[in-house]
Amino acid sequence: MEKTPVVTKVDGKGLNARHFATKKKEEAIRLMFSDGITKDEKWAAEAYEKCVLAVKAQDEKDAKIAAEKQAKLAKG
Amino acid sequence: MNTHINKKKFAPKIVSRRMQMTGNDFHKANYLVDIFDLANCASPDSLFNTGIPLCDLAKGKIKAVIYLDKGVVFTPSDGSSKPSFIAALIAKTTAARGSRAYPIWDLLNFEDNTGDPTTGAIGNLTTATIVTSDAIPSYRFGYNGSEARHRKMALMAGSSLDVLFVDDKFAIYGTAKGENFGGFSVLQAYADTSKFIVTEATNQYAFRITLGSISEYRDQSRYVVADTGILAAVGLINVELAVDDHTANVVEARLVSEGGTDIGSLYGAILDGLTWTAKNVETGASITITSVAYAAGTITITIDSTAYTALNSGDRVQINWPTAAAMAAANVKPFEGVPEIITKA
């Protein structure tokens, strides 16, 4: 099932969190540079961490909803 | 008389037995179940009656027309209460295309062009006439229109639609669709040409609706009595990206509604936190948008540079706004973003 898109805002920029969080940190930072999002490595590193946290929170939320749905179906 | 009769095998005999029944046999007639040769004259299933219901509704003045994408219905669950019906209607105004409701509230004029049923003679020995075909409901609505809006409204002619009518008591009139409540089938939806004012402005902007079925309208009609809460169900306004610069994988644009009103200062900082998507028009494959940022009147949309570099020169990329539902949930409403197509140099 397709995962919920996640956007996390860092200093006014909406980052596609799932796109960056699925990559290793160094790769994500490199992509932020090549996309022109930032030239600041420290900023990119912090932004990456925020993306990872945002995706984790969304996935936990989705898992909880799915579990509740499953429990309801099992109850009938 | 033997009551254990194989009805299939002995059907003709059952009929003939009925014809031969005497007074002593009539009490046994209740085991006969076929309806062959039975007209409806004394049918116990008929609902015909002339009494006035203890609680009923009469149509008021028309207040709104709500188009529905064909087949869109409200389930019994939606109709379990006024709030749930109203919530379902509001949700449908931002639903995906094909599942949407399109309210038109600002009606100014109503004309019933239904006409009379067709009548015909029944024989040359009498002057009596009977109704031979029903008149199909057909209406014209003048509304508080304007040029750009009427241009959009004219697109109703090419859409597959059902329709609900709302009166000034906020009763919504539709039809039964199985267990569900849906709109009347629309045979034709047509926008008249707009007019320059001469002596009056009646029907300056107007549209017509001809329904597809008298049966839906008269015999299977249903209604829902709502309240002023349904005024929150409004039609969407198209918003567009006015692209000011496109360099490599980065697009800079203003956020404008149809007619050019810039909505960036109101909604830009919210919109850049929602999900924008893109696709390769040539292949249909999705392309990742990695960042969206609104600042100082401009929205900057960054496409994945790796994917963009891989495109051929001349390939087109379609940039899609967040969905109408996502925007409404973030209080950016009532809008729908029009996709923007950019071309790789």
Side-chain angles (χ1 to χ4, degrees):
Chain A
M1 193 172 131
E2 214 173 297
K3 297 202 174 182
T4 310
V6 181
V7 176
T8 192
K9 282 196 77 167
V10 181
D11 293 335
K13 291 188 184 181
L15 300 182
N16 184 334
R18 202 174 280 286
H19 170 70
F20 293 112
T22 51
K23 304 190 171 31
K24 288 203 167 125
K25 187 173 179 176
E26 295 72 28
E27 171 70 3
I29 292 172
R30 186 188 71 75
L31 287 173
M32 286 188 208
F33 283 8
S34 64
D35 282 357
I37 294 169
T38 186
K39 291 178 183 167
D40 182 336
E41 189 172 341
K42 186 165 176 252
W43 188 95
E46 285 171 4
Y48 173 75
E49 296 303 334
K50 285 180 180 169
C51 288
V52 168
L53 286 172
V55 167
K56 184 166 178 259
Q58 183 65 49
D59 286 347
E60 280 169 4
K61 187 179 168 190
D62 289 345
K64 190 175 173 208
I65 292 170
E68 282 167 3
K69 206 172 175 181
Q70 205 55 36
K72 246 186 191 169
L73 284 168
K75 259 190 185 170
Chain B
M1 203 182 288
N2 186 355
T3 58
H4 299 291
I5 291 176
N6 181 327
K7 294 182 182 64
K8 279 192 190 158
K9 189 175 173 189
F10 294 106
K13 287 187 182 172
I14 291 173
V15 172
S16 69
R17 277 208 184 105
R18 185 188 299 119
M19 290 169 68
Q20 291 164 17
M21 274 197 292
T22 63
N24 288 335
D25 290 337
F26 281 118
H27 75 279
K28 293 175 185 170
N30 59 4
Y31 80 87
L32 297 174
V33 295
D34 65 77
I35 57 170
F36 307 124
D37 294 326
L38 281 182
N40 209 35
C41 308
S43 169
D45 298 326
S46 171
L47 297 179
F48 171 71
N49 261 319
T50 55
I52 300 172
L54 298 178
C55 180
D56 204 351
L57 186 73
K59 287 188 170 79
K61 264 199 223 173
I62 192 95
K63 188 171 182 68
V65 163
I66 302 177
Y67 281 123
L68 302 171
D69 280 325
K70 192 162 274 301
V72 170
V73 295
F74 295 84
T75 64
S77 170
D78 294 332
S80 60
S81 68
K82 268 190 212 179
S84 70
F85 178 83
I86 291 169
L89 175 60
I90 291 171
K92 288 183 196 313
T93 61
T94 56
R97 292 275 179 188
S99 304
R100 193 175 290 177
Y102 308 87
I104 302 168
W105 283 103
D106 45 353
L107 301 179
L108 301 174
N109 195 62
F110 171 68
E111 291 166 11
D112 188 336
N113 297 326
T114 299
D116 293 325
T118 306
T119 56
I122 56 171
N124 62 5
L125 301 178
T126 173
T127 55
T129 57
I130 59 169
V131 170
T132 51
S133 58
D134 294 307
I136 302 295
S138 177
Y139 308 120
R140 180 159 72 160
F141 302 90
Y143 74 102
N144 189 14
S146 55
E147 287 300 295
R149 185 176 176 207
H150 200 61
R151 208 163 42 230
K152 281 284 163 297
M153 293 277 269
L155 297 173
M156 66 174 70
S159 304
S160 287
L161 300 167
D162 295 333
V163 69
L164 301 169
F165 299 115
V166 186
D167 74 9
D168 57 356
K169 296 192 280 285
F170 300 103
I172 299 135
Y173 298 88
T175 188
K177 302 238 164 156
E179 284 186 342
N180 301 319
F181 173 75
F184 304 110
S185 302
V186 171
L187 182 64
Q188 184 184 50
Y190 175 83
D192 287 359
T193 51
S194 61
K195 298 176 174 49
F196 291 98
I197 296 172
V198 184
T199 52
E200 59 176 39
T202 305
N203 291 328
Q204 186 186 15
Y205 294 94
F207 59 93
R208 300 167 197 253
I209 298 174
T210 301
L211 301 187
S213 166
I214 183 67
S215 172
E216 281 184 350
Y217 193 76
R218 185 186 58 202
D219 309 322
Q220 297 171 298
S221 68
R222 299 190 73 188
Y223 57 78
V224 174
V225 180
D227 58 38
T228 55
I230 61 169
L231 292 170
V234 295
L236 301 181
I237 301 165
N238 287 347
V239 287
E240 303 166 348
L241 289 175
V243 177
D244 291 323
D245 187 67
H246 167 208
T247 304
N249 64 315
V250 178
V251 176
E252 290 180 355
R254 282 163 293 119
L255 302 161
V256 296
S257 76
E258 211 162 12
T261 303
D262 194 313
I263 64 165
S265 59
L266 289 172
Y267 303 115
I270 302 172
L271 284 165
D272 67 6
L274 302 180
T275 300
W276 293 68
T277 60
K279 73 170 185 181
N280 181 333
V281 174
E282 321 309 330
T283 64
S286 64
I287 297 178
T288 303
I289 287 183
T290 58
S291 160
V292 181
Y294 178 83
T298 296
I299 193 156
T300 302
I301 298 170
T302 306
I303 301 167
D304 180 346
S305 58
T306 308
Y308 193 82
T309 303
L311 296 173
N312 298 316
S313 172
D315 280 355
R316 292 165 298 163
V317 175
Q318 178 174 302
I319 297 173
N320 301 312
W321 287 62
T323 62
M327 290 201 287
N331 265 331
V332 180
K333 54 186 178 181
F335 299 112
E336 179 166 49
V338 177
E340 178 69 23
I341 294 183
I342 56 158
T343 304
K344 183 179 177 185

